[in-house]
Amino acid sequence: MADPRIIDITLDERTILWRNADVEQERRIAIFDLLEDNHFQPQRHHEDGYDGPYRVHLRVEEGRLVIEIRRENGDPLEAIILGLGRFRRPIRDYFAICDSYYQAISNASPQQIETVDMARRGIHNAAAETLIERLEGKIKVDFDTARRLFTLICVLHIKG
């Protein structure tokens, strides 16, 4: 029976050089929300018909995102490799707007915070759409899953 979802997700901790409390909170929320509700369906057919659930490990290697996909029991299935060129600007923009958001929380009016948050969501949504496009033919994901994966991709790019 098909169960196209992620049941465990890990990040390559060697890739992450530094993260502050705000980033750590974003990472925890993204993982929690992702595991609570996601649609993740690799498109490669496996001889035994395996169709989930999946354990996923994300890492960045030589400027590429590597998505390692494993069976529920941990046996490897495949690795999807995506060039990150189309994500460089959205990642940079997302970091910049998040910095503005965290600064606004501490000293801006509610209206200013809402404005910055709307901009942050807009960048995040556009990046999620790009991720869905880049995964086409490789992995089917829904919009919310793509948003949460983009958050985790950003965490992998923090250099301090």
Side-chain angles (χ1 to χ4, degrees):
M1 186 157 110
D3 190 6
R5 65 186 174 96
I6 298 170
I7 58 167
D8 183 51
I9 188 158
T10 57
L11 305 180
D12 182 12
E13 293 296 325
R14 294 173 299 145
T15 305
I16 306 166
L17 300 180
W18 172 88
R19 56 183 180 239
N20 65 24
D22 293 326
V23 171
E24 183 59 23
Q25 179 68 4
E26 292 277 330
R27 182 194 66 80
R28 278 194 302 268
I29 291 169
I31 289 174
F32 178 83
D33 289 348
L34 182 70
L35 295 178
E36 283 293 304
D37 182 35
N38 68 80
H39 180 82
F40 184 91
Q41 187 175 25
Q43 298 300 285
R44 179 177 288 166
H45 175 74
H46 299 284
E47 287 184 22
D48 64 357
Y50 189 81
D51 195 20
Y54 302 99
R55 295 182 180 279
V56 175
H57 180 72
L58 301 177
R59 73 177 192 275
V60 174
E61 191 174 286
E62 297 179 6
R64 293 185 174 99
L65 175 67
V66 180
I67 306 170
E68 294 177 6
I69 304 169
R70 296 181 176 274
R71 295 173 185 261
E72 183 174 20
N73 68 5
D75 290 345
L77 279 171
E78 65 180 301
I80 305 292
I81 300 171
L82 295 179
L84 287 168
R86 290 185 56 198
F87 293 99
R88 282 191 185 99
R89 184 173 184 148
I91 289 169
R92 186 176 54 242
D93 291 349
Y94 187 68
F95 282 148
I97 200 72
C98 283
D99 285 343
S100 297
Y101 177 74
Y102 296 131
Q103 289 173 12
I105 287 174
S106 63
N107 61 12
S109 71
Q111 185 177 16
Q112 291 168 318
I113 293 170
E114 184 177 342
T115 300
V116 174
D117 191 45
M118 285 177 24
R120 182 174 77 136
R121 279 189 306 240
I123 292 168
H124 204 168
N125 291 347
E129 292 291 348
T130 300
L131 183 58
I132 290 169
E133 290 170 15
R134 296 286 291 125
L135 290 173
E136 190 172 328
K138 298 171 183 73
I139 305 170
K140 280 187 186 176
V141 295
D142 62 8
F143 183 74
D144 289 337
T145 300
R147 284 187 96 248
R148 293 165 184 145
L149 288 172
F150 177 72
T151 299
L152 298 176
I153 293 167
C154 286
V155 170
L156 287 173
H157 281 81
I158 295 173
K159 301 297 183 207

